[in-house]
Amino acid sequence: QFPIVHPRFDRLKRVLLGKDSCLKGSLRGIIFVQQRITTHVICYFIENDEELKSKFRAAPLYAHGSPATSSLSISSSIAMDTIKSFGSGHINLLVCTVVAEEGMDIPAANLVIRFDPMIHSVSMVQGRGRARQSDSQFVVLSERPDRTVRKLEEVEQQQLQIVKSFDAEKALSDGNLVNEQLIAAQVSRERGAMDILQKSSTVSEVEAVALLNLYEKKTKAKLDESFQKIAGSLWQCHLKYSSVLRSAEVSKEATDKKLAKRLASVALLQVLGSSKK
């Protein structure tokens, strides 16, 4: 029997069993954790608990380029197979690090659980956004005293208000202190996300979509996408990145929307990388 050494595991078990009962066995959940090794620990816990293993088929998911330990890792093919199995229902519980939180193309879930405390409001918004089904629920098992859900929600509302009231043209032409602070903050964010652009030359088309979404979230910029049916059976995807510092846009064509977006993501990452500050 799995030795429960932390009350959070007991709370996790009670939440899973309770939500599964409410959803009448149709639960499809994502558990977010901070460390890669924790994904394996939780999966082991579920697989070795008599009540949980009969109801849940869990799998770990994190960036395949970063092993959890010298003996625990996930390859690119395993990660893709895991996502497909989750989409088909063969796996009904994913235990993920921020790779799923910040961009990987994962099907919708009806339950999202934050196992570890959230660090900032972006984590809350992105994690909560994974619960996209109409009957979905969002559960927080642990909070930091200085970063409770309530405080993070207040920060989220403040950030949304700043974005809504922000005038980019005025910011570029007006040299007051507030605008200088906004620009300085964006410079810091884009410099902090520079490592993402450095990886872009070695990623696949599939990984490029996730990487671009991650860059957008870290820089808190705006990423617009649009599709247009053009000659024959081709689709054109147009992507535009906009921040107070700069904007960049690309268009790519392919035989379907998904491929066109992947190609456009690769191209936009290259443009952003070549013009990074």
Side-chain angles (χ1 to χ4, degrees):
Q1 186 178 0
F2 186 89
I4 299 178
V5 296
H6 196 290
R8 206 180 305 166
F9 282 94
D10 185 51
R11 292 199 296 271
L12 174 63
K13 177 178 178 177
R14 286 188 280 111
V15 167
L16 287 174
L17 293 175
K19 299 302 182 184
D20 183 65
S21 177
C22 292
L23 293 168
K24 303 185 186 315
S26 63
L27 185 148
R28 183 175 294 181
I30 300 176
I31 302 172
F32 284 115
V33 301
Q34 291 293 335
Q35 298 182 341
R36 294 181 291 274
I37 187 62
T38 310
T39 66
H40 293 280
V41 172
I42 291 178
C43 286
Y44 180 84
F45 166 62
I46 292 170
E47 291 166 1
N48 287 271
D49 183 275
E50 291 299 325
E51 292 182 271
L52 295 177
K53 71 180 183 181
S54 64
K55 297 177 180 294
F56 302 105
R57 300 170 299 281
L61 183 65
Y62 48 84
H64 59 80
S66 304
T69 68
S70 58
S71 59
L72 291 173
S73 62
I74 295 176
S75 67
S76 177
S77 60
I78 289 177
M80 296 305 297
D81 288 343
T82 297
I83 293 172
K84 289 179 182 178
S85 295
F86 185 69
S88 68
H90 180 69
I91 290 172
N92 61 3
L93 202 57
L94 290 180
V95 188
C96 310
T97 58
V98 292
V99 64
E101 179 183 306
E102 297 179 320
M104 189 170 277
D105 188 15
I106 294 176
N110 55 18
L111 175 65
V112 170
I113 298 174
R114 299 297 311 213
F115 185 79
D116 294 313
M118 290 177 287
I119 305 301
H120 45 64
S121 62
V122 175
S123 291
M124 181 182 67
V125 172
Q126 292 168 346
R128 189 175 58 200
R130 287 295 177 184
R132 297 191 296 270
Q133 296 186 15
S134 59
D135 57 350
S136 61
Q137 299 180 55
F138 181 68
V139 178
V140 177
L141 293 184
S142 180
E143 297 178 317
R144 279 178 45 163
D146 61 333
R147 298 182 186 181
T148 63
V149 172
R150 183 174 179 177
K151 289 181 179 179
L152 292 175
E153 287 176 341
E154 291 174 353
V155 171
E156 177 192 1
Q157 291 303 315
Q158 292 171 0
Q159 292 174 337
L160 288 173
Q161 188 58 42
I162 291 173
V163 171
K164 287 180 181 178
S165 61
F166 182 66
D167 186 332
E169 292 185 2
K170 187 174 185 298
L172 292 173
S173 60
D174 191 345
N176 63 46
L177 179 60
V178 173
N179 289 329
E180 288 178 359
Q181 290 175 337
L182 287 170
I183 293 172
Q186 187 62 29
V187 169
S188 177
R189 284 193 288 267
E190 295 205 11
R191 284 178 177 169
M194 195 176 296
D195 63 314
I196 297 174
L197 297 179
Q198 292 171 345
K199 297 176 185 175
S200 63
S201 61
T202 59
V203 299
S204 66
E205 294 169 359
V206 176
E207 294 170 320
V209 176
L211 204 63
L212 183 60
N213 287 335
L214 177 57
Y215 186 74
E216 174 207 4
K217 301 300 182 185
K218 289 203 174 228
T219 60
K220 296 185 179 180
K222 184 179 181 183
L223 183 63
D224 294 315
E225 69 173 58
S226 61
F227 294 92
Q228 181 180 358
K229 190 73 178 290
I230 56 178
S233 59
L234 292 179
W235 281 93
Q236 182 183 76
C237 176
H238 182 79
L239 295 178
K240 182 178 180 179
Y241 172 93
S242 305
S243 76
V244 65
L245 293 180
R246 57 179 175 157
S247 65
E249 53 190 301
V250 299
S251 294
K252 288 295 178 179
E253 302 167 2
T255 53
D256 60 71
K257 287 184 177 181
K258 184 175 289 187
L259 181 56
K261 182 176 179 178
R262 290 173 178 173
L263 294 174
S265 297
V266 171
L268 186 53
L269 283 170
Q270 292 173 345
V271 172
L272 291 170
S274 64
S275 63
K276 62 180 180 290
K277 294 185 178 290

